[in-house]
Amino acid sequence: MEPALDENELDDGEVTGVEVGNENVLIARIDDEFFAIGDICTHEHCHLSDGWLEDKEVVCPCHHAKFDVTTGEVTRPPATEDEPTYDLKVEDGKVYVDV
Ligand code: FES
């Protein structure tokens, strides 16, 4: 697992984008739980981390597709393909992601 960010860099209800290895990863914090999925929209490659959370879904800023950050599943078109999910752990105030 690779360190991705400090736990306190991300507020509850927010998303951020990090590069881990060669992967663009979106990290979301919901009710003090962290989730990691792919950050590049499967529609036309916008960064989902430039979007926003609605409950447990991230909204793509480009054409408003939605993805469930807990499963990577696409929940609103125009995207049709799911995002990958990544294992993640929080230890000693740091968020680690397995890419
Ligand atoms: S690039 Fe994300 S919805 Fe089009």
Side-chain angles (χ1 to χ4, degrees):
M1 289 221 174
E2 312 251 357
L5 79 162
D6 287 344
E7 191 180 5
N8 60 16
E9 283 178 80
L10 188 61
D11 289 334
D12 206 41
E14 299 287 333
V15 293
T16 190
V18 290
E19 233 178 84
V20 187
N22 287 328
E23 301 296 325
N24 287 285
V25 177
L26 171 136
I27 297 180
R29 183 175 189 161
I30 302 172
D31 293 335
D32 285 330
E33 250 195 281
F34 290 83
F35 302 92
I37 67 171
D39 188 26
I40 305 301
C41 184
T42 58
H43 180 229
E44 284 184 1
H45 305 285
C46 288
H47 282 260
L48 296 176
S49 56
D50 290 334
W52 59 93
L53 277 178
E54 289 181 357
D55 295 320
K56 59 181 187 159
E57 291 162 315
V58 63
V59 182
C60 180
C62 291
H63 316 99
H64 299 176
K66 275 188 179 185
F67 298 86
D68 185 324
V69 299
T70 69
T71 62
E73 204 180 322
V74 62
T75 54
R76 185 167 72 188
T80 55
E81 278 177 48
D82 297 344
E83 288 289 344
T85 57
Y86 302 103
D87 286 337
L88 167 156
K89 71 173 179 185
V90 181
E91 204 169 86
D92 297 330
K94 281 201 185 306
V95 179
Y96 294 83
V97 178
D98 195 5
V99 289

Coordinates of all heavy atoms in Angstrom, one line a residue:
M1 N 0.8 -1.2 0.0 CA 0.0 0.0 0.0 C 0.9 1.3 0.0 O 1.9 1.3 0.6 CB -0.9 0.0 1.2 CG -2.0 -1.0 1.2 SD -3.5 -0.3 1.8 CE -4.6 -1.7 1.5
E2 N 0.4 2.2 -0.7 CA 1.2 3.5 -0.8 C 0.5 4.6 -0.1 O -0.7 4.7 -0.1 CB 1.2 3.9 -2.3 CG 1.6 2.9 -3.3 CD 3.0 3.1 -3.8 OE1 3.6 4.1 -3.5 OE2 3.4 2.2 -4.6
P3 N 1.3 5.5 0.6 CA 0.6 6.6 1.3 C 0.1 7.6 0.3 O 0.7 7.9 -0.7 CB 1.8 7.2 2.1 CG 3.0 6.7 1.5 CD 2.7 5.4 0.8
A4 N -1.2 8.0 0.4 CA -1.8 8.8 -0.5 C -2.0 10.3 0.0 O -1.8 11.2 -0.8 CB -3.2 8.3 -1.0
L5 N -2.4 10.4 1.2 CA -2.6 11.7 1.8 C -2.7 11.6 3.3 O -2.9 10.5 3.9 CB -3.8 12.5 1.2 CG -5.2 12.2 1.7 CD1 -6.1 13.3 1.3 CD2 -5.7 10.9 1.1
D6 N -2.6 12.8 4.0 CA -2.8 12.8 5.4 C -4.4 12.8 5.7 O -5.1 13.5 4.9 CB -2.2 14.0 6.1 CG -0.7 13.9 6.2 OD1 -0.2 12.8 6.0 OD2 0.0 14.9 6.4
E7 N -4.8 12.1 6.7 CA -6.2 12.0 7.0 C -6.8 13.4 7.1 O -7.9 13.6 6.6 CB -6.3 11.3 8.3 CG -7.7 10.8 8.7 CD -7.6 10.1 10.0 OE1 -6.6 10.0 10.6 OE2 -8.7 9.6 10.4
N8 N -6.1 14.3 7.8 CA -6.7 15.6 8.0 C -6.7 16.6 6.8 O -7.1 17.7 6.9 CB -6.2 16.3 9.3 CG -4.7 16.5 9.2 OD1 -4.1 16.4 8.1 ND2 -4.0 16.7 10.3
E9 N -6.1 16.1 5.7 CA -6.2 16.9 4.5 C -7.5 16.9 3.8 O -7.8 17.7 2.9 CB -5.1 16.4 3.5 CG -3.7 16.8 3.8 CD -2.8 16.2 2.8 OE1 -2.6 16.8 1.7 OE2 -2.2 15.1 3.0
L10 N -8.4 16.0 4.2 CA -9.7 15.9 3.5 C -10.8 16.0 4.5 O -10.9 15.2 5.4 CB -9.7 14.5 2.8 CG -10.9 14.3 1.9 CD1 -10.9 15.3 0.7 CD2 -10.8 12.8 1.3
D11 N -11.7 17.0 4.3 CA -12.8 17.1 5.2 C -13.9 16.1 4.9 O -14.0 15.6 3.8 CB -13.4 18.5 5.1 CG -12.5 19.6 5.7 OD1 -11.7 19.2 6.6 OD2 -12.5 20.7 5.2
D12 N -14.7 15.9 5.9 CA -15.9 15.0 5.7 C -16.8 15.6 4.6 O -17.0 16.8 4.5 CB -16.7 14.9 7.0 CG -17.4 13.6 7.1 OD1 -16.9 12.6 6.7 OD2 -18.6 13.7 7.5
G13 N -17.3 14.7 3.7 CA -18.2 15.1 2.6 C -17.4 15.7 1.4 O -18.0 16.2 0.5
E14 N -16.1 15.5 1.4 CA -15.3 16.1 0.3 C -14.6 15.0 -0.5 O -14.4 13.8 0.0 CB -14.2 17.0 0.8 CG -14.7 18.2 1.6 CD -15.3 19.3 0.7 OE1 -15.0 19.4 -0.5 OE2 -16.2 20.0 1.2
V15 N -14.1 15.3 -1.7 CA -13.3 14.4 -2.5 C -12.0 15.1 -2.9 O -12.0 16.3 -3.0 CB -14.1 13.9 -3.8 CG1 -15.3 13.1 -3.5 CG2 -14.5 15.1 -4.6
T16 N -11.0 14.3 -3.2 CA -9.8 14.8 -3.7 C -9.2 13.8 -4.6 O -9.5 12.7 -4.6 CB -8.8 15.2 -2.5 OG1 -7.7 15.9 -3.0 CG2 -8.3 13.9 -1.9
G17 N -8.3 14.3 -5.5 CA -7.6 13.5 -6.4 C -6.1 13.3 -6.1 O -5.5 14.3 -5.7
V18 N -5.6 12.1 -6.1 CA -4.2 11.9 -5.8 C -3.6 11.0 -6.9 O -4.4 10.2 -7.5 CB -4.0 11.3 -4.4 CG1 -4.3 12.2 -3.3 CG2 -4.8 10.0 -4.3
E19 N -2.3 11.1 -7.1 CA -1.7 10.1 -8.0 C -0.9 9.1 -7.1 O -0.1 9.5 -6.3 CB -0.7 10.9 -8.9 CG -0.9 10.5 -10.3 CD 0.0 11.3 -11.3 OE1 1.1 10.8 -11.4 OE2 -0.4 12.4 -11.7
V20 N -1.3 7.9 -7.3 CA -0.6 6.8 -6.5 C -0.1 5.8 -7.5 O -0.8 5.3 -8.4 CB -1.6 6.1 -5.6 CG1 -0.9 5.1 -4.7 CG2 -2.4 7.0 -4.8
G21 N 1.3 5.6 -7.5 CA 1.9 4.9 -8.6 C 1.6 5.6 -9.8 O 1.9 6.8 -9.9
N22 N 1.1 5.0 -10.8 CA 0.7 5.7 -12.1 C -0.8 5.9 -12.2 O -1.3 6.2 -13.3 CB 1.2 4.9 -13.3 CG 2.7 5.0 -13.4 OD1 3.3 6.0 -13.1 ND2 3.3 3.9 -13.9
E23 N -1.5 5.6 -11.1 CA -2.9 5.7 -11.2 C -3.5 7.0 -10.6 O -3.0 7.6 -9.7 CB -3.6 4.6 -10.3 CG -3.2 3.2 -10.8 CD -3.6 2.8 -12.1 OE1 -4.7 3.2 -12.5 OE2 -2.9 2.1 -12.9
N24 N -4.5 7.5 -11.3 CA -5.3 8.7 -10.8 C -6.4 8.2 -9.9 O -7.3 7.4 -10.4 CB -5.9 9.5 -11.9 CG -4.8 10.3 -12.6 OD1 -4.3 11.3 -12.1 ND2 -4.4 9.8 -13.8
V25 N -6.3 8.5 -8.6 CA -7.2 7.9 -7.6 C -8.1 9.0 -7.0 O -7.5 10.1 -6.7 CB -6.5 7.1 -6.6 CG1 -7.4 6.6 -5.5 CG2 -5.6 6.0 -7.2
L26 N -9.4 8.8 -6.9 CA -10.2 9.7 -6.2 C -10.4 9.1 -4.8 O -10.7 8.0 -4.6 CB -11.6 9.8 -6.9 CG -12.7 10.6 -6.1 CD1 -13.4 11.5 -7.0 CD2 -13.6 9.6 -5.4
I27 N -10.2 10.0 -3.8 CA -10.5 9.6 -2.4 C -11.6 10.4 -1.9 O -11.7 11.7 -2.0 CB -9.2 9.8 -1.5 CG1 -8.1 8.8 -2.0 CG2 -9.5 9.4 0.0 CD1 -6.9 8.8 -1.3
A28 N -12.6 9.8 -1.3 CA -13.8 10.4 -0.7 C -13.8 10.1 0.8 O -13.4 9.1 1.2 CB -15.0 9.9 -1.4
R29 N -14.3 11.1 1.5 CA -14.5 10.9 3.0 C -16.0 11.1 3.3 O -16.5 12.2 3.1 CB -13.6 11.9 3.7 CG -13.7 11.8 5.2 CD -12.7 12.7 5.9 NE -12.7 12.4 7.3 CZ -11.7 12.8 8.1 NH1 -10.7 13.5 7.6 NH2 -11.7 12.5 9.4
I30 N -16.6 10.1 3.8 CA -18.0 10.2 4.1 C -18.2 9.6 5.5 O -17.9 8.5 5.8 CB -18.9 9.3 3.1 CG1 -18.6 9.8 1.7 CG2 -20.3 9.4 3.5 CD1 -19.3 8.9 0.6
D31 N -18.8 10.4 6.4 CA -19.0 10.0 7.8 C -17.7 9.4 8.4 O -17.7 8.4 9.0 CB -20.1 9.0 7.9 CG -21.4 9.6 7.6 OD1 -21.6 10.9 7.7 OD2 -22.4 8.9 7.2
D32 N -16.6 10.1 8.1 CA -15.3 9.7 8.6 C -14.8 8.3 8.1 O -13.9 7.7 8.7 CB -15.2 9.8 10.1 CG -15.1 11.3 10.5 OD1 -14.5 12.1 9.7 OD2 -15.6 11.6 11.6
E33 N -15.4 7.8 7.0 CA -14.9 6.6 6.4 C -14.3 7.1 5.0 O -14.8 8.0 4.4 CB -16.0 5.7 6.1 CG -16.0 4.4 6.9 CD -16.9 3.3 6.4 OE1 -18.1 3.4 6.6 OE2 -16.3 2.4 5.7
F34 N -13.2 6.4 4.6 CA -12.6 6.8 3.4 C -12.8 5.7 2.3 O -12.9 4.5 2.6 CB -11.1 6.9 3.6 CG -10.7 8.1 4.4 CD1 -10.7 8.1 5.8 CD2 -10.3 9.3 3.8 CE1 -10.4 9.2 6.5 CE2 -10.0 10.4 4.5 CZ -10.0 10.4 5.9
F35 N -12.9 6.2 1.0 CA -13.2 5.3 -0.1 C -12.3 5.7 -1.3 O -12.0 6.9 -1.4 CB -14.6 5.4 -0.5 CG -15.6 5.0 0.5 CD1 -16.1 6.0 1.3 CD2 -16.0 3.7 0.8 CE1 -17.0 5.7 2.4 CE2 -16.9 3.4 1.8 CZ -17.4 4.4 2.6
A36 N -11.8 4.8 -2.1 CA -11.0 5.1 -3.2 C -11.5 4.4 -4.5 O -11.7 3.2 -4.5 CB -9.5 4.6 -2.9
I37 N -11.7 5.2 -5.5 CA -12.1 4.7 -6.8 C -11.2 5.4 -7.9 O -10.5 6.4 -7.5 CB -13.6 4.9 -7.1 CG1 -14.0 6.3 -7.3 CG2 -14.5 4.2 -6.1 CD1 -15.4 6.6 -7.8
G38 N -11.4 5.0 -9.1 CA -10.7 5.7 -10.2 C -11.1 7.2 -10.3 O -12.3 7.5 -10.0
D39 N -10.2 8.1 -10.6 CA -10.5 9.5 -10.7 C -10.9 10.0 -12.1 O -11.4 11.1 -12.2 CB -9.3 10.3 -10.1 CG -9.7 11.8 -9.9 OD1 -10.9 12.1 -9.7 OD2 -8.8 12.6 -10.0
I40 N -10.6 9.2 -13.1 CA -10.9 9.6 -14.5 C -12.2 9.1 -14.9 O -12.4 7.9 -15.0 CB -9.7 9.1 -15.4 CG1 -8.4 9.6 -14.9 CG2 -10.0 9.7 -16.8 CD1 -8.2 11.1 -14.7
C41 N -13.1 10.0 -15.2 CA -14.5 9.6 -15.6 C -14.4 8.7 -16.8 O -13.6 8.9 -17.8 CB -15.3 10.8 -16.0 SG -17.0 10.4 -16.4
T42 N -15.2 7.6 -16.8 CA -15.2 6.6 -17.9 C -15.9 7.2 -19.1 O -16.0 6.5 -20.2 CB -15.8 5.3 -17.5 OG1 -17.2 5.5 -17.0 CG2 -15.0 4.7 -16.3
H43 N -16.5 8.3 -19.0 CA -17.2 8.9 -20.2 C -16.2 9.7 -21.1 O -15.8 9.1 -22.2 CB -18.3 9.9 -19.7 CG -19.0 10.5 -20.9 ND1 -19.3 11.9 -20.9 CD2 -19.6 10.0 -22.0 CE1 -19.9 12.1 -22.0 NE2 -20.1 11.0 -22.7
E44 N -15.7 10.8 -20.7 CA -14.7 11.5 -21.5 C -13.5 12.1 -20.7 O -13.0 13.1 -21.0 CB -15.4 12.7 -22.3 CG -16.3 12.2 -23.4 CD -16.9 13.2 -24.3 OE1 -16.7 14.4 -24.0 OE2 -17.6 12.9 -25.2
H45 N -13.1 11.3 -19.8 CA -11.8 11.5 -19.1 C -11.7 12.8 -18.2 O -10.6 13.2 -18.0 CB -10.7 11.5 -20.1 CG -10.7 10.2 -20.9 ND1 -10.3 9.0 -20.4 CD2 -11.1 10.0 -22.2 CE1 -10.4 8.1 -21.3 NE2 -10.9 8.6 -22.4
C46 N -12.8 13.3 -17.8 CA -12.7 14.4 -16.8 C -12.3 13.9 -15.4 O -12.5 12.7 -15.1 CB -14.0 15.2 -16.7 SG -14.3 16.1 -18.1
H47 N -11.7 14.7 -14.6 CA -11.3 14.3 -13.2 C -12.6 14.4 -12.3 O -13.1 15.5 -12.1 CB -10.2 15.2 -12.7 CG -8.9 14.9 -13.2 ND1 -8.0 14.2 -12.5 CD2 -8.3 15.2 -14.4 CE1 -6.9 14.0 -13.2 NE2 -7.1 14.6 -14.4
L48 N -13.0 13.2 -11.8 CA -14.1 13.2 -10.9 C -13.9 14.0 -9.7 O -14.8 14.6 -9.0 CB -14.5 11.8 -10.5 CG -15.0 10.9 -11.7 CD1 -15.2 9.5 -11.2 CD2 -16.2 11.5 -12.3
S49 N -12.6 14.1 -9.3 CA -12.3 14.9 -8.1 C -12.5 16.4 -8.2 O -12.4 17.1 -7.2 CB -10.8 14.6 -7.6 OG -9.9 14.9 -8.7
D50 N -12.7 16.8 -9.5 CA -13.1 18.2 -9.7 C -14.6 18.4 -9.5 O -15.2 19.5 -9.6 CB -12.7 18.7 -11.1 CG -11.2 18.9 -11.2 OD1 -10.6 19.1 -10.2 OD2 -10.7 18.8 -12.4
G51 N -15.3 17.3 -9.3 CA -16.8 17.3 -9.0 C -17.1 17.4 -7.6 O -16.3 17.9 -6.8
W52 N -18.3 16.8 -7.2 CA -18.7 17.0 -5.8 C -19.5 15.7 -5.4 O -20.0 15.0 -6.3 CB -19.6 18.2 -5.6 CG -20.8 18.2 -6.5 CD1 -22.0 17.8 -6.2 CD2 -20.8 18.6 -7.9 NE1 -22.9 17.9 -7.3 CE2 -22.2 18.4 -8.3 CE3 -19.9 19.2 -8.8 CZ2 -22.6 18.7 -9.6 CZ3 -20.3 19.5 -10.1 CH2 -21.6 19.3 -10.5
L53 N -19.7 15.6 -4.1 CA -20.4 14.4 -3.5 C -21.9 14.8 -3.4 O -22.2 15.9 -2.9 CB -19.9 14.0 -2.2 CG -18.6 13.1 -2.1 CD1 -18.2 12.9 -0.7 CD2 -18.9 11.8 -2.8
E54 N -22.7 13.8 -3.7 CA -24.1 13.9 -3.3 C -24.4 12.6 -2.6 O -24.4 11.5 -3.2 CB -25.1 14.0 -4.5 CG -24.9 15.4 -5.2 CD -25.8 15.6 -6.4 OE1 -26.5 14.7 -6.8 OE2 -25.8 16.7 -6.9
D55 N -24.6 12.6 -1.3 CA -24.6 11.4 -0.5 C -23.3 10.6 -0.8 O -22.2 11.1 -0.6 CB -25.8 10.6 -0.7 CG -27.1 11.3 -0.2 OD1 -27.0 12.0 0.8 OD2 -28.1 11.3 -0.9
K56 N -23.5 9.3 -1.2 CA -22.2 8.5 -1.4 C -21.9 8.5 -2.9 O -21.1 7.6 -3.3 CB -22.4 7.1 -0.9 CG -23.6 6.4 -1.4 CD -23.8 5.0 -0.8 CE -24.8 4.3 -1.6 NZ -24.8 2.9 -1.4
E57 N -22.4 9.4 -3.7 CA -22.1 9.4 -5.1 C -21.3 10.7 -5.5 O -21.6 11.8 -5.0 CB -23.4 9.4 -6.0 CG -24.1 8.0 -5.9 CD -25.5 8.1 -6.3 OE1 -26.2 9.1 -5.9 OE2 -26.0 7.2 -7.0
V58 N -20.3 10.5 -6.4 CA -19.6 11.7 -6.9 C -20.2 12.0 -8.2 O -20.5 11.2 -9.0 CB -18.1 11.4 -7.0 CG1 -17.7 10.3 -8.0 CG2 -17.3 12.7 -7.3
V59 N -20.3 13.3 -8.4 CA -20.9 13.8 -9.7 C -19.8 14.4 -10.5 O -18.9 15.2 -10.1 CB -21.9 15.0 -9.4 CG1 -22.5 15.5 -10.7 CG2 -23.0 14.6 -8.4
C60 N -19.7 13.9 -11.8 CA -18.7 14.3 -12.7 C -18.9 15.8 -13.1 O -20.1 16.1 -13.4 CB -18.6 13.5 -14.0 SG -17.4 14.0 -15.2
P61 N -17.9 16.7 -13.0 CA -18.2 18.1 -13.3 C -18.5 18.3 -14.8 O -19.0 19.4 -15.1 CB -16.9 18.8 -12.9 CG -15.8 17.7 -13.1 CD -16.5 16.4 -12.7
C62 N -18.1 17.4 -15.7 CA -18.3 17.7 -17.1 C -19.7 17.5 -17.7 O -20.3 18.4 -18.3 CB -17.3 16.9 -17.9 SG -15.6 17.4 -17.6
H63 N -20.2 16.3 -17.5 CA -21.6 16.0 -18.0 C -22.5 15.3 -17.0 O -23.5 14.7 -17.3 CB -21.5 15.2 -19.3 CG -20.4 15.6 -20.2 ND1 -19.2 15.0 -20.3 CD2 -20.4 16.6 -21.1 CE1 -18.5 15.6 -21.2 NE2 -19.2 16.6 -21.7
H64 N -22.0 15.4 -15.7 CA -22.9 15.0 -14.6 C -23.2 13.6 -14.4 O -24.2 13.2 -13.8 CB -24.1 15.9 -14.5 CG -23.8 17.4 -14.4 ND1 -24.8 18.3 -14.4 CD2 -22.6 18.0 -14.2 CE1 -24.2 19.5 -14.2 NE2 -22.9 19.3 -14.1
A65 N -22.4 12.7 -15.0 CA -22.5 11.3 -14.7 C -22.2 11.1 -13.2 O -21.6 12.0 -12.6 CB -21.5 10.4 -15.5
K66 N -22.8 10.0 -12.6 CA -22.6 9.8 -11.2 C -22.0 8.4 -10.9 O -22.4 7.5 -11.6 CB -23.9 9.8 -10.4 CG -24.4 11.2 -10.0 CD -25.7 11.0 -9.2 CE -26.3 12.3 -8.7 NZ -27.4 12.0 -7.7
F67 N -21.1 8.3 -9.9 CA -20.5 7.1 -9.5 C -20.7 6.9 -8.0 O -20.4 7.9 -7.3 CB -19.0 7.0 -9.9 CG -18.8 7.1 -11.4 CD1 -18.7 8.4 -12.0 CD2 -18.6 6.0 -12.2 CE1 -18.4 8.5 -13.3 CE2 -18.4 6.1 -13.5 CZ -18.3 7.4 -14.1
D68 N -21.0 5.7 -7.6 CA -21.0 5.4 -6.2 C -19.6 5.2 -5.7 O -18.9 4.3 -6.2 CB -21.8 4.1 -6.0 CG -22.1 3.7 -4.6 OD1 -21.2 3.9 -3.7 OD2 -23.1 3.1 -4.3
V69 N -19.2 6.0 -4.8 CA -17.8 5.9 -4.4 C -17.5 4.7 -3.5 O -16.3 4.4 -3.2 CB -17.3 7.2 -3.6 CG1 -17.4 8.4 -4.6 CG2 -18.0 7.4 -2.3
T70 N -18.5 4.0 -3.0 CA -18.3 2.8 -2.2 C -18.2 1.6 -3.0 O -17.6 0.6 -2.6 CB -19.5 2.6 -1.2 OG1 -20.7 2.3 -1.9 CG2 -19.7 3.9 -0.4
T71 N -18.6 1.6 -4.3 CA -18.6 0.4 -5.2 C -17.9 0.7 -6.5 O -17.6 -0.2 -7.3 CB -20.0 -0.1 -5.5 OG1 -20.7 0.9 -6.2 CG2 -20.7 -0.4 -4.2
G72 N -17.8 2.0 -6.9 CA -17.3 2.3 -8.2 C -18.3 2.3 -9.3 O -18.1 2.6 -10.5
E73 N -19.5 1.9 -9.0 CA -20.6 1.6 -9.9 C -21.1 3.0 -10.5 O -21.3 3.9 -9.8 CB -21.7 1.0 -9.2 CG -22.6 0.2 -10.1 CD -23.7 -0.5 -9.2 OE1 -23.5 -0.9 -8.1 OE2 -24.9 -0.5 -9.7
V74 N -21.3 3.0 -11.8 CA -21.9 4.2 -12.5 C -23.4 4.2 -12.2 O -24.0 3.1 -12.3 CB -21.6 4.2 -14.0 CG1 -22.1 3.1 -14.7 CG2 -22.1 5.5 -14.6
T75 N -23.9 5.3 -11.7 CA -25.3 5.3 -11.3 C -26.1 6.3 -12.1 O -27.3 6.4 -12.0 CB -25.5 5.7 -9.8 OG1 -24.8 6.9 -9.6 CG2 -24.9 4.5 -9.0
R76 N -25.5 7.1 -13.0 CA -26.2 8.0 -13.9 C -25.4 8.2 -15.2 O -24.2 8.4 -15.1 CB -26.5 9.3 -13.2 CG -27.3 10.3 -14.1 CD -27.9 11.5 -13.3 NE -26.8 12.5 -13.0 CZ -27.0 13.5 -12.2 NH1 -28.2 13.7 -11.6 NH2 -26.0 14.4 -12.0
P77 N -26.1 8.1 -16.3 CA -25.4 8.4 -17.6 C -24.9 9.9 -17.7 O -25.4 10.6 -16.8 CB -26.4 8.1 -18.7 CG -27.7 7.9 -18.0 CD -27.5 7.9 -16.5
P78 N -24.1 10.3 -18.6 CA -23.8 9.5 -19.8 C -22.7 8.5 -19.7 O -22.5 7.7 -20.6 CB -23.3 10.6 -20.8 CG -22.8 11.7 -19.9 CD -23.6 11.7 -18.7
A79 N -22.0 8.4 -18.6 CA -21.0 7.3 -18.4 C -21.8 6.0 -18.4 O -22.9 5.9 -17.8 CB -20.2 7.5 -17.2
T80 N -21.1 4.9 -18.9 CA -21.8 3.6 -18.8 C -20.8 2.6 -18.2 O -21.3 1.5 -17.8 CB -22.1 3.1 -20.2 OG1 -20.9 3.1 -21.0 CG2 -23.2 4.0 -20.9
E81 N -19.6 2.9 -18.0 CA -18.6 1.9 -17.4 C -18.3 2.3 -16.0 O -18.1 3.5 -15.7 CB -17.3 1.9 -18.2 CG -17.5 1.0 -19.5 CD -16.2 1.0 -20.3 OE1 -15.1 0.9 -19.7 OE2 -16.3 1.3 -21.5
D82 N -18.2 1.3 -15.1 CA -17.9 1.5 -13.7 C -16.4 2.0 -13.6 O -15.6 1.8 -14.4 CB -18.1 0.2 -12.9 CG -19.5 -0.2 -12.9 OD1 -20.4 0.6 -13.3 OD2 -19.8 -1.4 -12.6
E83 N -16.2 2.6 -12.4 CA -14.8 2.9 -12.0 C -14.2 1.7 -11.3 O -14.9 1.0 -10.6 CB -14.8 4.1 -11.1 CG -15.1 5.4 -11.8 CD -14.0 5.9 -12.7 OE1 -12.9 5.4 -12.6 OE2 -14.3 6.8 -13.5
P84 N -12.8 1.6 -11.3 CA -12.2 0.6 -10.5 C -12.3 1.0 -9.0 O -12.4 2.3 -8.8 CB -10.7 0.6 -11.0 CG -10.5 1.9 -11.6 CD -11.9 2.3 -12.2
T85 N -12.2 0.1 -8.1 CA -12.1 0.5 -6.7 C -10.8 0.0 -6.2 O -10.1 -0.9 -6.7 CB -13.2 -0.2 -5.8 OG1 -13.1 -1.6 -6.0 CG2 -14.6 0.2 -6.2
Y86 N -10.3 0.7 -5.2 CA -9.0 0.4 -4.6 C -9.1 0.1 -3.1 O -9.9 0.9 -2.4 CB -8.0 1.5 -4.8 CG -7.8 1.9 -6.3 CD1 -8.4 3.0 -6.8 CD2 -7.0 1.1 -7.1 CE1 -8.3 3.3 -8.2 CE2 -6.9 1.3 -8.4 CZ -7.5 2.4 -9.0 OH -7.4 2.7 -10.3
D87 N -8.4 -0.8 -2.6 CA -8.3 -1.1 -1.2 C -7.6 0.1 -0.5 O -6.7 0.7 -1.1 CB -7.6 -2.4 -0.8 CG -8.4 -3.6 -1.1 OD1 -9.7 -3.4 -1.2 OD2 -7.8 -4.7 -1.4
L88 N -8.0 0.4 0.7 CA -7.5 1.5 1.4 C -7.4 1.3 2.9 O -8.2 0.5 3.4 CB -8.4 2.6 1.0 CG -8.5 4.0 1.7 CD1 -9.1 5.0 0.7 CD2 -9.3 4.0 3.0
K89 N -6.5 1.9 3.6 CA -6.5 1.8 5.0 C -6.0 3.1 5.6 O -5.3 3.9 4.9 CB -5.6 0.6 5.5 CG -4.1 0.9 5.4 CD -3.3 -0.2 6.0 CE -1.8 0.1 5.8 NZ -0.9 -1.0 6.3
V90 N -6.4 3.4 6.8 CA -6.0 4.6 7.5 C -5.2 4.1 8.7 O -5.6 3.3 9.5 CB -7.2 5.4 8.0 CG1 -6.7 6.7 8.6 CG2 -8.1 5.8 6.8
E91 N -4.0 4.6 8.8 CA -3.1 4.2 9.9 C -2.2 5.4 10.3 O -1.6 6.1 9.4 CB -2.2 3.1 9.4 CG -1.7 2.2 10.5 CD -1.0 0.9 9.9 OE1 0.2 1.0 9.6 OE2 -1.7 -0.1 9.8
D92 N -2.1 5.7 11.5 CA -1.3 6.8 12.1 C -1.6 8.1 11.4 O -0.7 8.8 11.0 CB 0.2 6.4 12.0 CG 0.5 5.2 12.8 OD1 -0.2 5.0 13.9 OD2 1.4 4.5 12.5
G93 N -2.9 8.4 11.1 CA -3.2 9.6 10.5 C -3.0 9.7 9.0 O -3.2 10.8 8.4
K94 N -2.6 8.6 8.4 CA -2.3 8.6 6.9 C -3.3 7.7 6.2 O -3.6 6.6 6.8 CB -0.9 8.2 6.6 CG 0.1 9.3 6.8 CD 1.4 9.0 6.1 CE 2.5 10.0 6.3 NZ 2.1 11.4 6.1
V95 N -3.6 8.1 5.0 CA -4.5 7.2 4.2 C -3.6 6.5 3.2 O -2.8 7.1 2.4 CB -5.5 8.0 3.4 CG1 -6.4 7.2 2.5 CG2 -6.4 8.8 4.4
Y96 N -3.6 5.2 3.1 CA -2.9 4.3 2.2 C -3.8 3.7 1.2 O -4.9 3.2 1.6 CB -2.1 3.2 3.0 CG -1.1 3.7 3.9 CD1 -1.4 4.1 5.2 CD2 0.3 3.7 3.6 CE1 -0.5 4.6 6.1 CE2 1.2 4.2 4.4 CZ 0.9 4.6 5.7 OH 1.8 5.1 6.6
V97 N -3.3 3.6 0.0 CA -4.1 3.0 -1.1 C -3.3 2.0 -1.8 O -2.1 2.1 -2.0 CB -4.6 4.1 -2.1 CG1 -5.4 3.5 -3.3 CG2 -5.4 5.2 -1.5
D98 N -4.0 0.9 -2.1 CA -3.4 -0.2 -2.9 C -3.8 -0.1 -4.3 O -5.0 -0.3 -4.7 CB -3.9 -1.5 -2.2 CG -3.1 -2.7 -2.7 OD1 -2.1 -2.5 -3.3 OD2 -3.5 -3.9 -2.3
V99 N -2.9 0.2 -5.2 CA -3.3 0.4 -6.6 C -2.9 -0.8 -7.5 O -1.9 -1.5 -7.2 CB -2.7 1.7 -7.3 CG1 -3.4 2.9 -6.7 CG2 -1.2 1.8 -7.1
Ligands
FES1 S1 -16.7 13.2 -18.7 FE1 -17.8 12.6 -17.0 S2 -19.8 12.7 -17.6 FE2 -18.7 13.2 -19.4

